[in-house]
Amino acid sequence: MHSSSEVLAPGKRGSWLNLYKTEILAGLTVALALVPEAVAFAFVAQVHPLVGLYAAFIVGIITAVFGGRPGMISGATGALAVVMVSLVTQHGVEYLFATVVLMGILQIIFGLLRWGKFMRMVPHPVMLGFVNGLAIVIFLAQFEQFQVEAPGGNMVWMEGMQLYLMLGLIALTMFVIWVTPKVTSAIPAPLAGIVVVSVLVIGLGLDVRAVGDMASIAGGLPQFHIPMVPLDLETLQIIFPYALILAAIGLIESLLTLNLVAEMTNTKGGASKECVAQGAANVVTGFFGGMGGCAMIGQSMINVKSGARTRIAGITAALFLLVFILFASPLIEQIPMAALVGVMFMVVVGTFAWNTFKIMTKIPRTDAIVIAMVTGVTVLEDLAVAVVVGVIISALAYAWNASKRINARTSINEDGQKVYVLEGPLFFGSATGFQEIFSPETDPDDVIVDFINSRVVDHSGLQAIDNMASRYIQQGKTLHLRHLSPDCKKLLKKAGNMVEISVLEDPKYGIAVDYDHTFDGEPVEPEPQKA
């Protein structure tokens, strides 16, 4: 992959004309793929198709201009739609618009607080599970296109010649996408697949389902509209839980997609910027009759694999979408759904991490479980739950492994003192093992515990030191604690006076507790340090 700086250097990747052509064609391809998804997700949320299309346009163009990662595509997504549906059915679409505005405000706050940096806490197995789970979700979502309305109004599966024709057109689309890069790089492969199959279907007059069969996409410019809801505490109580859930799901999906695109394009950074851009886009969307949105992994993959590396493609995709709504709806509505399903199937093939099957038996068992669980929960529940589950399991596995690394080297120095040199982190998971290291009953009268190769991580670690000190005090023995930070000394209730601080040697680090209080909650005045 090439970095964005390489893309912008005409001498390395051709002329500026070729760059713009690649970006614009990629944007057109993405716009064509956005239409059926925006309409489908609007149906899922039980709102008018234009509500989904307006969201795709507004969220798409604002994040393309101000987002943290050139190449990412944002719009109305299924992950958000499934949460919105209960709100719409219970309270109506106006409450949805108000919720989207509040969702955007929360995302802006998260971005300004720079909480996007916590995505670095997501381990690689969780990322693999996320990618595989999303690929499966995208794959399963396409099966809706294999259903048609029966005379009684029920949806039934295609069969006979209708099914064979659908499968044949999908296969043709996938073949064109596969072979196009081997023939020419002048046109994005997905766009070639859509054009070839559309021309074939229209030219031969084949009776297949088209975009227009889902709903009309014709409309005007989005109009400014203040959500018609009471501005009171009761309304806030209704919309806030939905807004918080939508903000969390939107940011998690966006930031994971950002990491994936960054890895593919060899770029980095922009998490907090993306949070703010997503939030601003959703605030605007809520005031213009849109259902809100976030990053779309499928369309982002189409964009990146079509050669797009700058903001031009995302802006172009949003503008093309608006043109479709305003002027080109009759033409776009003739595109066969089989062509778009074929494009999405190729996205699935390119998105799924197929090497997962090879590495599952070679990586630690815990990582393999995390990959499988995140994949399964993403498919069965939703992305936010899957990521939280994966991070918790990974954190517990790390804590368990780290808890077994606490140990000590012991020796007797020339003064007859027993010296314990600790190795490994001291935290809630290793506190029990820490206590088992010491033998106050059999140790000499003078004992030194050296933390030079250890680190006190949390409140539990401090409590473990105090408990260890109490055991030596009960035996009437002298204890020296060396290489503990001044913060630790201040927070230790029983062992604080045993800490020997050397400002030349001792580490300076803090732990995640309130420095102004001891364990029993009594205020402690900072003690002067001594050399």
Side-chain angles (χ1 to χ4, degrees), residues 361-376:
T361 57
K362 301 177 182 178
I363 60 178
R365 184 178 301 175
T366 304
D367 288 346
I369 292 173
V370 168
I371 293 173
M373 185 164 290
V374 172
T375 301

Side-chain angles (χ1 to χ4, degrees), residues 160-171:
M161 193 63 194
Q162 188 180 28
L163 175 61
Y164 300 143
L165 183 58
M166 179 78 169
L167 292 174
L169 293 174
I170 291 173

Side-chain angles (χ1 to χ4, degrees), residues 462 484-492 501 507-511 513-515 517 529:
L462 292 170
L484 277 174
S485 73
D487 287 325
C488 287
K489 172 182 170 63
K490 185 170 65 175
L491 289 165
L492 288 169
I501 294 181
K508 293 182 179 179
Y509 57 80
I511 54 176
V513 295
D514 185 350
Y515 289 168
H517 293 80
Q529 297 182 12

Side-chain angles (χ1 to χ4, degrees), residues 52-62 74-75 221-222 317-319 321-322 325:
L53 291 167
Y54 286 153
F57 163 65
I58 297 171
V59 173
I61 195 164
I62 292 177
S74 297
L221 288 171
L319 293 177
L321 189 59
L322 182 61
I325 296 171

Side-chain angles (χ1 to χ4, degrees), residues 301-324:
M301 294 301 100
I302 292 174
N303 193 43
V304 172
K305 291 180 180 180
S306 295
R309 292 294 183 274
T310 73
R311 300 183 186 276
I312 298 172
I315 296 171
T316 302
L319 293 177
F320 270 125
L321 189 59
L322 182 61
V323 170
F324 296 163

